[in-house]
Amino acid sequence: MKEEVWSGFEQDPLGFLDRELSGAGDIVRTGRNEYCVGNPAEARTVLSNANGSYAEHSDFFHTRYGYFEPRSAQLDMRREARGLLREYLKSRPPGELREFLRRELGASSRWPDTGNRLTYRYLFPLLLSPDRPQGLRALLDQIVERSVLAGARARQPRWRRMWLQFNTTWRLSQAIGERQTQPRTPPADLLDVVANAAEPDRRQDELSEVYLSFLFAVAGSVGFVLAWSLYLWGTHARRDAPAEWIVHEALRLWPVAWQLGRRPVQAHDLSGVRMETSDEVVVCPYLVQRNAAHWQAPAEFRPERWADEDAWRNPAFIPFGHGPHRCVAADLATQLVADMLQVIRELGEVGVTAHDHRPTVAAAMAPPPFTLTIATTG
């Protein structure tokens, strides 16, 4: 394939993948040394890495210094973070979510930014406990507005992005360092989770990046899933499907984490193509989950397909990854989004007006901009 053909991927990645996608969706070459995998079995093989063909990698635990280790520290963080989220959601009083959404949304709101802000504000006590300095909260507010919202980074001048990065690293490192000097106690928030799981001599700037992964997951990924669910529900005729079906169909059609890159450490064959150590293999949930061999009418929004119990076990459904690095809180986050979607639908006459049909494609895939209106009834 000529290099000028590969350049089409950079200009319009989703359009390129749609054009190049074969009926089985096995593998698509997207660069001189880059391949996107769309075959479900091969995708799971790459992500599980049972035969050690790839360098150990976690998209969540990737920092500027490489792969965060040891694995035991990762497992501690995953377990404690899931426990905190589960207990936080379990402890919410009845009606709190409805009151929160009614108060925050108002009659009209602009999305997908509103989705990011909603999940961030609702889960904020999970990120920072109430006794943390107010300055840290203000810092997280800035990060969300300038780095998490769809297209936010592109709207910031380079000097401002650099200053925010410096200020974030310094202040979070300081907060983590202070926590590590205190007696170890059960974590009160995700900052505690990060500080407790690592050895005291671990680079605190690296730990600050791990903490930011939690922030981006809470405000970015979960917020975009909520926005996609609302967008698809509001722009299609099937408006009476259960919220859980809509969320899963949104995750299938438009996975927020749409690229999961891995680096081979030994030459091997993948979907009939020879992979060398100089190549990059990208598992592409966008391709996998539109695989015509596993989904009927894969490009169509059909939430009713989730009425079939087999759909929940379809191997061509990996929106949260697969294997040892699959998102540990995927079920809790998905249920929260479904609960939020259901409450929003019950707030009144809900309308969705799309302002574009093209998603924002970056590290995370955000839905097109749209306006949500809610007309309350008697």
Side-chain angles (χ1 to χ4, degrees):
M1 185 181 293
K2 295 182 179 179
E3 189 167 353
E4 55 265 26
V5 176
W6 305 334
S7 65
F9 177 74
E10 296 182 0
Q11 297 166 5
D12 180 16
L14 300 185
F16 178 89
L17 293 174
D18 290 339
R19 291 190 298 272
E20 297 296 322
L21 179 62
S22 64
D26 288 337
I27 196 164
V28 175
R29 192 172 187 177
T30 53
R32 183 181 298 277
N33 297 104
E34 183 178 276
Y35 298 85
C36 274
V37 180
N39 177 279
E42 297 281 38
R44 287 171 174 255
T45 296
V46 172
L47 294 177
S48 62
N49 197 25
N51 58 6
S53 294
Y54 299 89
E56 191 64 25
H57 181 85
S58 166
D59 297 275
F60 189 92
F61 288 102
H62 181 74
T63 73
R64 76 185 77 176
Y65 300 105
Y67 180 58
F68 178 84
E69 294 182 301
R71 177 66 173 155
S72 59
Q74 292 184 20
L75 293 175
D76 287 344
M77 287 188 200
R78 286 163 59 89
R79 182 183 64 254
E80 292 192 342
R82 178 182 170 81
L84 273 181
L85 177 59
R86 182 181 61 247
E87 291 306 313
Y88 177 77
L89 295 177
K90 185 179 177 181
S91 67
R92 297 303 87 200
E96 182 195 62
L97 181 60
R98 178 182 179 84
E99 178 58 26
F100 169 81
L101 291 172
R102 185 196 62 77
R103 181 180 68 250
E104 294 287 331
L105 282 175
S108 179
S109 53
R110 297 296 296 259
W111 293 66
D113 291 356
T114 297
N116 300 128
R117 294 180 179 123
L118 284 177
T119 55
Y120 168 65
R121 291 168 186 165
Y122 190 70
L123 295 175
F124 187 84
L126 193 70
L127 291 162
L128 286 179
S129 61
D131 59 343
R132 299 286 186 186
Q134 284 298 310
L136 278 182
R137 172 161 194 153
L139 175 65
L140 296 196
D141 290 348
Q142 285 187 5
I143 295 170
V144 170
E145 293 297 318
R146 298 181 184 179
S147 298
V148 174
L149 303 183
R153 293 181 188 233
R155 295 192 294 269
Q156 302 294 322
R158 186 170 180 271
W159 69 267
R160 181 169 291 175
R161 295 197 306 269
M162 293 180 66
W163 168 248
L164 180 61
Q165 181 181 17
F166 170 80
N167 192 39
T168 298
T169 301
W170 175 65
R171 295 179 66 183
L172 288 180
S173 297
Q174 187 178 45
I176 290 170
E178 290 174 355
R179 179 63 182 87
Q180 289 178 327
T181 64
Q182 301 169 6
R184 181 165 297 195
T185 57
D189 56 23
L190 289 172
L191 195 68
D192 279 353
V193 167
V194 172
N196 287 350
E199 294 299 324
D201 60 351
R202 191 72 188 225
R203 292 189 65 110
Q204 289 158 357
D205 56 346
E206 183 178 21
L207 294 176
S208 73
E209 291 193 37
V210 175
Y211 177 74
L212 287 175
S213 291
F214 282 114
L215 173 61
F216 293 149
V218 166
S221 299
V222 181
F224 287 141
V225 174
L226 174 61
W228 271 119
S229 301
L230 265 174
Y231 173 81
L232 291 170
W233 170 74
T235 56
H236 290 78
R238 300 176 180 86
R239 297 171 65 88
D240 58 349
E244 290 82 359
W245 297 4
I246 294 169
V247 174
H248 275 78
E249 186 66 349
L251 284 166
R252 185 193 69 81
L253 266 178
W254 302 102
V256 174
W258 66 286
Q259 291 192 106
L260 307 170
R262 299 294 184 266
R263 182 72 65 177
V265 294
Q266 61 187 22
H268 63 284
D269 292 331
L270 186 70
S271 292
V273 179
R274 189 65 173 175
M275 295 294 149
E276 305 292 344
T277 56
S278 58
D279 294 327
E280 182 174 11
V281 175
V282 180
V283 172
C284 185
Y286 177 83
L287 283 180
V288 170
Q289 296 174 175
R290 291 171 179 247
N291 190 302
H294 291 265
W295 298 102
Q296 184 179 11
E300 294 183 12
F301 175 67
R302 293 187 178 183
E304 67 273 15
R305 73 173 84 238
W306 296 95
D308 185 350
E309 291 185 1
D310 288 339
W312 302 82
R313 297 187 289 271
N314 194 315
F317 185 65
I318 55 168
F320 299 102
H322 175 71
H325 299 297
R326 182 181 183 272
C327 176
V328 71
D331 57 336
L332 296 173
T334 302
Q335 186 58 55
L336 173 61
V337 172
D339 291 344
M340 296 180 89
L341 174 62
Q342 183 61 30
V343 170
I344 291 171
R345 295 196 301 179
E346 295 172 350
L347 290 179
E349 286 292 330
V350 180
V352 171
T353 302
H355 304 298
D356 201 342
H357 65 281
R358 296 167 296 181
T360 299
V361 182
M365 185 154 58
F370 65 94
T371 297
L372 179 75
T373 57
I374 301 175
T376 57
T377 55

